[in-house]
Amino acid sequence: APYYEEAKECFEKALEEDPNNTEWIMGYATALYRLEAIPGTPEKCKSNQSMNHLRRVLELDPDESLAMVMLALKLQDNKQKKEANELVERALQKSPDIPKVLRNAAKFYRLEQSVEKAIELLKKALERTPHNSVLHDQIGMCYRLQLLELFKNPLSSDRQNPEFRQKMVLLDHCKHHFGKAFEHRPRTAIKSQLDYADICIKNGENSKAGEVYSKLLELEDIRPENMQRIWLQAGLFQLYKRKSDSNAVKLFQKGLKIENNSKAWKSCYEQLDKWAERRLCRDPHDSKALGVKGLLHQIDGDKSKAIEYFEEALELDPSNEEYLSALCELRLSFEEHHDL
């Protein structure tokens, strides 16, 4: 996000000097477009700013095919399918061999569930740039969609059926392309590594998935939203595959510390809530589950309920410094609020 923010500011200043420069408007629109996709940015809250600038690019240069496909993806988000489809078709007519155009058009078709069409375009793009990690990631996502669809077919579990062989081919395709996507970018291609680990789990390769999560958890100076995804996915792995509740809870709690209202944050919250409810149904005096409920109420701003849960947790686990610290902080805050 900082790089896109910096780029946005640079293009903004440049446009003050030359407001009709197509290249600079395109640069500004691209920076906005990227920022609009990142949870927690101001641009995410106003996620249609880039559309106006992409339209301006096309007013000045009607043949700018990359602007067409980027605008089509924004229109697709807004359910404006007719115009979006027309723009993608025009872009592919004008620039049938430009990898960036093919990649964005493929994303459009994948989101429209036209997976075969998306794969066709991505294969074409990979012929021109065979080592492009983003293209490998995108085609991996397409094969995964086909794989998930095949998993719904009970015949895919029977080794004697063609569906089983097709499933194995798709598993190999997914692993190959997700692997290529992060081969030279282990610090930045976080999503590809998480997708790779997920495919390993689906193929029963839990130890390989565990290795991926271990490496990811050791990374430092990673973008917060990426670290949050790692904590969520690694937490789910610990909970359901390693059967380690304590490790899972620690990872989900780390995910909640990054307050950006992202899908990953909500999933961490929901996983903790479900876990605590399950534990308390079996044992109402489970101190760890009570502590988690206290934390969730604290996050929700329900201080009195949070205090109630932490007090009960502390009675059962008197030496727990985490509960004691949270309780002191909550009581102090509660008293200050009532003194006003």
Side-chain angles (χ1 to χ4, degrees), residues 85-177:
N85 264 300
E86 288 168 0
L87 281 166
V88 171
E89 286 169 12
R90 263 177 60 205
L92 289 172
Q93 282 168 7
K94 290 187 180 297
S95 305
D97 299 312
I98 296 177
K100 274 189 180 178
V101 173
L102 292 167
R103 185 187 85 206
N104 282 283
K107 182 180 179 181
F108 175 84
Y109 285 119
R110 173 172 58 80
L111 294 171
E112 288 295 302
Q113 305 302 313
S114 299
V115 182
E116 286 292 351
K117 176 69 175 172
I119 290 171
E120 179 193 323
L121 294 173
L122 289 165
K123 281 182 174 177
K124 194 175 179 182
L126 277 167
E127 284 172 13
R128 289 189 160 269
T129 52
H131 304 296
N132 186 304
S133 57
V134 179
L135 291 174
H136 280 291
D137 181 63
Q138 291 286 315
I139 201 166
M141 288 167 74
C142 291
Y143 285 128
R144 185 179 59 184
L145 281 173
Q146 291 184 326
L147 180 65
L148 293 176
E149 198 57 40
L150 197 57
F151 268 118
K152 294 175 188 175
N153 186 340
L155 294 175
S156 68
S157 301
D158 183 353
R159 288 177 175 273
Q160 305 304 315
N161 273 287
E163 284 82 358
F164 177 84
R165 290 190 289 278
Q166 190 185 350
K167 179 182 78 173
M168 299 312 292
V169 167
L170 287 171
L171 280 164
D172 283 344
H173 283 344
C174 288
K175 284 177 66 179
H176 170 75
H177 287 291

Side-chain angles (χ1 to χ4, degrees), residues 44-106:
K44 178 73 175 173
C45 303
K46 302 176 281 184
S47 63
N48 287 331
Q49 288 184 86
S50 61
M51 285 177 69
N52 299 329
H53 298 285
L54 289 166
R55 286 194 187 282
R56 179 67 181 141
V57 170
L58 291 171
E59 280 173 20
L60 295 167
D61 181 1
D63 293 335
E64 176 46 81
S65 51
L66 184 57
M68 288 180 209
V69 283
M70 287 172 68
L71 178 57
L73 285 164
K74 296 302 289 184
L75 290 166
Q76 186 182 44
D77 272 351
N78 291 338
K79 315 294 183 200
Q80 294 169 261
K81 301 284 181 75
K82 187 173 183 296
E83 187 185 354
N85 264 300
E86 288 168 0
L87 281 166
V88 171
E89 286 169 12
R90 263 177 60 205
L92 289 172
Q93 282 168 7
K94 290 187 180 297
S95 305
D97 299 312
I98 296 177
K100 274 189 180 178
V101 173
L102 292 167
R103 185 187 85 206
N104 282 283

Side-chain angles (χ1 to χ4, degrees), residues 118-318:
I119 290 171
E120 179 193 323
L121 294 173
L122 289 165
K123 281 182 174 177
K124 194 175 179 182
L126 277 167
E127 284 172 13
R128 289 189 160 269
T129 52
H131 304 296
N132 186 304
S133 57
V134 179
L135 291 174
H136 280 291
D137 181 63
Q138 291 286 315
I139 201 166
M141 288 167 74
C142 291
Y143 285 128
R144 185 179 59 184
L145 281 173
Q146 291 184 326
L147 180 65
L148 293 176
E149 198 57 40
L150 197 57
F151 268 118
K152 294 175 188 175
N153 186 340
L155 294 175
S156 68
S157 301
D158 183 353
R159 288 177 175 273
Q160 305 304 315
N161 273 287
E163 284 82 358
F164 177 84
R165 290 190 289 278
Q166 190 185 350
K167 179 182 78 173
M168 299 312 292
V169 167
L170 287 171
L171 280 164
D172 283 344
H173 283 344
C174 288
K175 284 177 66 179
H176 170 75
H177 287 291
F178 286 138
K180 284 285 183 188
F182 69 81
E183 191 174 34
H184 303 296
R185 299 167 58 233
R187 291 184 53 77
T188 52
I190 303 300
K191 183 191 150 300
S192 303
Q193 291 173 79
L194 291 173
D195 287 340
Y196 181 87
D198 183 55
I199 293 298
C200 288
I201 292 166
K202 285 178 170 49
N203 199 31
E205 298 174 275
N206 289 341
S207 59
K208 192 172 279 189
E211 287 171 21
V212 175
Y213 290 129
S214 295
K215 285 177 184 174
L216 286 171
L217 288 166
E218 287 170 7
L219 293 176
E220 293 178 358
D221 301 321
I222 300 301
R223 275 171 33 192
E225 64 273 14
N226 280 337
M227 208 63 235
Q228 195 173 51
R229 287 177 192 153
I230 294 168
W231 287 325
L232 170 64
Q233 294 301 120
L236 290 168
F237 178 72
Q238 288 293 330
L239 187 62
Y240 295 110
K241 297 298 174 183
R242 291 282 187 253
K243 307 298 180 188
S244 173
D245 287 29
S246 58
N247 284 345
V249 167
K250 283 175 193 169
L251 289 162
F252 294 144
Q253 285 177 327
K254 283 183 177 182
L256 287 185
K257 287 178 182 173
I258 299 165
E259 297 176 29
N260 59 6
N261 203 32
S262 65
K263 284 182 183 176
W265 188 94
K266 288 171 188 170
S267 293
C268 286
Y269 183 103
E270 286 164 9
Q271 288 296 330
L272 282 170
D273 196 32
K274 284 178 193 171
W275 176 84
E277 290 293 341
R278 280 197 305 270
R279 294 279 291 233
L280 291 170
C281 277
R282 289 199 295 267
D283 178 9
H285 302 295
D286 186 316
S287 63
K288 283 191 171 65
L290 290 165
V292 166
K293 290 296 283 185
L295 171 68
L296 297 179
H297 282 294
Q298 186 179 13
I299 287 167
D300 290 339
D302 189 344
K303 292 177 186 175
S304 59
K305 201 74 179 168
I307 288 169
E308 188 184 313
Y309 273 108
F310 277 124
E311 281 177 341
E312 202 175 338
L314 203 57
E315 277 179 31
L316 296 160
D317 185 4

